[in-house]
Structures are given as structure tokens and as C-alpha cells.
Amino acid sequence: MSVSLKAGSSLLAAVFVAGLVVSEAEARPARTGQVPNGATLGCAGCHVSASGGGARNSFGLQIENGFLSQAGFAGVVQWGPELAALDADGDGATNGEELGDPTGSWQQGDANPEGEVFRPWDAESTPPAPMPTAVESSGWAKIKRLIAQD
Ligand SMILES: [Ca+2]
């Protein structure tokens, strides 16, 4: 009798531990370390719910549909130039520009890029347009005058 009680409580403990592991895996907190500045965004970086799990936002859908090493829990986000060049929310700023890595050169384990972080799934959150260069803000007439001054 005492043996079966012990076996029963061991089984209960195993089920409890397995439940903890599964609930942690569903949130996949490791994925926040697989995109630049992912920890700043947290679970909301890819999921509609800020607490993680469940439906993906537009950025999470892009990752899920082509930028995971494999489907399911073990899949690792394949951050790089291709994913960085996409624009999940269609606001004109690339995912890389919004996450501080325009070229997609950041790799897992690197320090996060510095600067302000924007939300690649939210068209209301957009980095400011870069300032035009001197040549871009000059007209041809100004350039010709500069050249003629020699
Ligand atoms: Ca965008």
C-alpha cells in the first residue's frame, strides 16, 4: 500500500513538473533573445497578447511563416538581412529600422543595437525619416553655383 502511494505521489509530482515545463515553453521567452532588442519588446514583439502565447501580430506571423529554423517549440528565429528588410506593419520603415538593426547584421548573443526601439507590428510606431543629406536638400542650381565658384 505504501509503495503504491509513493508511486502515486511521484507520478503526481512528474505531472506537476511537466505542466510547469509546458506552460513555460508556450510563452517561449527565449525567442525574445533571437531578434535585436527583443527583450525590450517582450512577448508583445510577436504576440497580440502582451503576456505571450496565442495569436501572433504581423511581425510574429512573418517570423512564423518563413523565419524559424523549424516549426514548433524548438524553432529558432532566423534574424538576418531578409527579415530585417521586410516591413511587417506596412508603415514604410523596415523591421530592421524599427528594431535598430537596419542591415540585419545583429546575431543572437550580440549586444542589442543602441537607440530608440519601435514596434514593427504597429504602424503608429514609426522611426522618424532620416534627415536629407546636403546634396539631397540642394537643388541642381545650388550645386552648379557651388561648382562655378572655383
Ligand atoms: Ca514597419
Side-chain angles (χ1 to χ4, degrees), residues 61-147:
L61 286 172
Q62 278 186 336
I63 291 171
E64 185 177 37
N65 296 321
F67 295 96
L68 286 178
S69 60
Q70 65 183 73
F73 291 125
V76 175
V77 177
Q78 306 295 290
W79 178 261
E82 193 180 351
L83 179 55
L86 296 177
D87 179 7
D89 55 10
D91 64 358
T94 66
N95 296 334
E97 288 168 340
E98 303 216 33
L99 295 176
D101 179 28
T103 61
S105 59
W106 180 91
Q107 294 183 329
Q108 191 174 347
D110 288 354
N112 282 315
E114 292 183 11
E116 193 172 354
V117 178
F118 299 86
R119 299 184 296 275
W121 68 92
D122 178 3
E124 301 294 315
S125 169
T126 305
M131 294 293 288
T133 63
V135 171
E136 288 169 339
S137 61
S138 297
W140 273 113
K142 288 183 185 174
I143 294 171
K144 285 179 182 173
R145 277 197 301 272
L146 281 172
I147 293 170

